[in-house]
Amino acid sequence: MSESDDQKKGLGTRLVGAGRRREWTGPVVNPPVWRASTHFYEDCADMKNGHPNEDGQFHYGTRGAPTQWALADALTELEPGAFGTMLYPSGLAALSHSLLAVLKHGDVLLMTDNAYDPSRALAGTVLKNMGVETHFFDPLDLDGYADLFCDRTKAVLLESPGSLTIEVCDIPALTKIARENGAISLIDNTWASALGFPALEYGCDISITALTKHAGGHADVLMGSASADERLYRKLRLSAQRLGTVVSPDDAALVLRGLRTMELRLKRTTESALAIAQWLETRAEVSHILCPMLPGAPGHDLWKRDFSGGCGLFSFILADANVETRARLVDSLELFDIGYSWGGYESLAIPFDPGKNRSASAWPPTEWGTGEHLGVRLAIGLEDPKDLIADLAQGFAAMEQK
């Protein structure tokens, strides 16, 4: 069957079949877990001839085996415009390795000001130490962003929506400006994944995803990926191999299993998040809801234009609270656990105050006026949304208790 025929299949059908090549699965449903450091050659002549540096070609454990190849193949199939996908031990590893593959001493990186905090830390340590200069930009200010380019600007790191403040930016416009200036656009596309936002089709050159989140889906595995066209994929591949980066076949099997139900889980958590956001609109304790799926919320028009799906991650701002009352809210929640990450089956809540990590954009936004503007980020899981709403209601009541 032709590739175009495959692309005509529904998403659910593609998720069920992706990566399940007969030569990797054999007579069973899933690719077996191949645990192997050493791969055998037929004879000395076979070793001398070597094997092509491609997935599907046995060489040594650092190049993977059928379990890892099946996952990479599945992710490539799900990312329109991708030639190949590299796997990394975590989402942060995918970000750092992708940047290391395209940057060198003397280059300039432009990084969105709402970036995942470890991305900012990477810029101020590893990249700085190797002689890469990083400038942060407001992702909502196209003119200011365009003015930052110079002859040494080689890459731009985007994140949309932002993982705390959930801003949606105009990715096609931002990538067009980067392309006109000869820079590579990388995006942390974890929030929507390729299922909700086909990043390469919207002008990005490398689409990075923390598979820890939606793809894994069960809070039991760490992994990341980067998908790209042939030229950049081969650059990513060689860079990862030279740094000795490989993922566990057991972890790859867990992510492959998670992929099969990913569409269903995303649909459920998106619907639940929207219901909870709509309920939060009715609460006097809440001043702002940062949920682009919600009509009237910041970024909704861009989300509606560019995205075909969402997820359960969004934030809200408390109207009249201090650090102590916000802590009482979060601490009193029974169905929301406190912890980093998201995209699993369980609901999470964390307090956040990103102002200290902003350098190119104001937080809180100046139009909000003075006040604390303390934030809470929710990661909605698979619990019944009515139960989650009841839990938040008792949490708001706890804010008033002494």
Side-chain angles (χ1 to χ4, degrees), residues 58-227:
F58 287 95
H59 173 77
Y60 186 69
T62 52
R63 289 193 189 173
T67 319
Q68 295 102 321
W69 299 337
L71 175 57
D73 188 56
L75 294 170
T76 300
E77 182 177 335
L78 296 169
E79 183 76 61
F83 175 83
T85 297
M86 286 302 300
L87 304 175
Y88 303 91
S90 68
L92 178 57
L95 282 162
S96 59
H97 276 267
S98 296
L99 289 168
L100 290 171
V102 300
L103 293 168
K104 65 181 186 305
H105 179 86
D107 287 346
V108 170
L109 166 69
L110 301 185
M111 183 178 292
T112 180
D113 206 33
N114 63 351
Y116 172 58
D117 190 47
S119 298
R120 297 182 70 99
L122 177 72
T125 54
V126 175
L127 295 182
K128 181 179 179 180
N129 292 340
M130 64 179 276
V132 173
E133 188 177 327
T134 302
H135 299 293
F136 293 92
F137 66 91
D138 181 346
L140 305 183
D141 179 5
L142 290 176
D143 292 334
Y145 162 76
D147 289 340
L148 290 175
F149 284 84
C150 68
D151 291 342
R152 295 187 295 120
T153 305
K154 301 303 179 184
V156 173
L157 179 61
L158 304 166
E159 182 175 327
S160 183
S163 60
L164 280 176
T165 45
I166 324 293
E167 298 96 335
V168 179
C169 55
D170 191 338
I171 294 295
L174 292 165
T175 57
K176 181 175 184 292
I177 293 169
R179 190 163 52 252
E180 290 171 349
N181 285 275
I184 293 169
S185 294
L186 304 91
I187 185 171
D188 182 341
N189 195 33
T190 302
W191 188 90
S193 79
L195 274 61
F197 182 73
L200 301 186
E201 288 192 339
Y202 278 81
C204 299
D205 298 297
I206 300 176
S207 180
I208 300 163
T209 304
L211 302 174
T212 306
K213 311 300 197 285
H214 305 312
H218 293 78
D220 57 3
V221 63
L222 291 165
M223 196 176 296
S225 66
S227 301

Side-chain angles (χ1 to χ4, degrees), residues 226-278:
S227 301
D229 65 13
E230 183 173 4
R231 181 181 70 86
L232 287 172
Y233 164 73
R234 297 199 181 283
K235 186 182 287 284
L236 292 169
R237 185 181 182 92
L238 288 175
S239 178
Q241 289 173 352
R242 287 164 181 160
L243 291 168
T245 301
V246 66
V247 304
S248 156
D250 297 84
D251 289 346
L254 285 175
V255 176
L256 267 170
R257 184 175 65 176
L259 273 183
R260 310 309 179 192
T261 61
M262 185 173 165
E263 181 190 24
L264 300 175
R265 289 183 284 105
L266 278 173
K267 181 179 180 181
R268 171 61 183 265
T269 56
T270 298
E271 290 174 349
S272 296
L274 186 55
I276 293 167
Q278 290 169 336

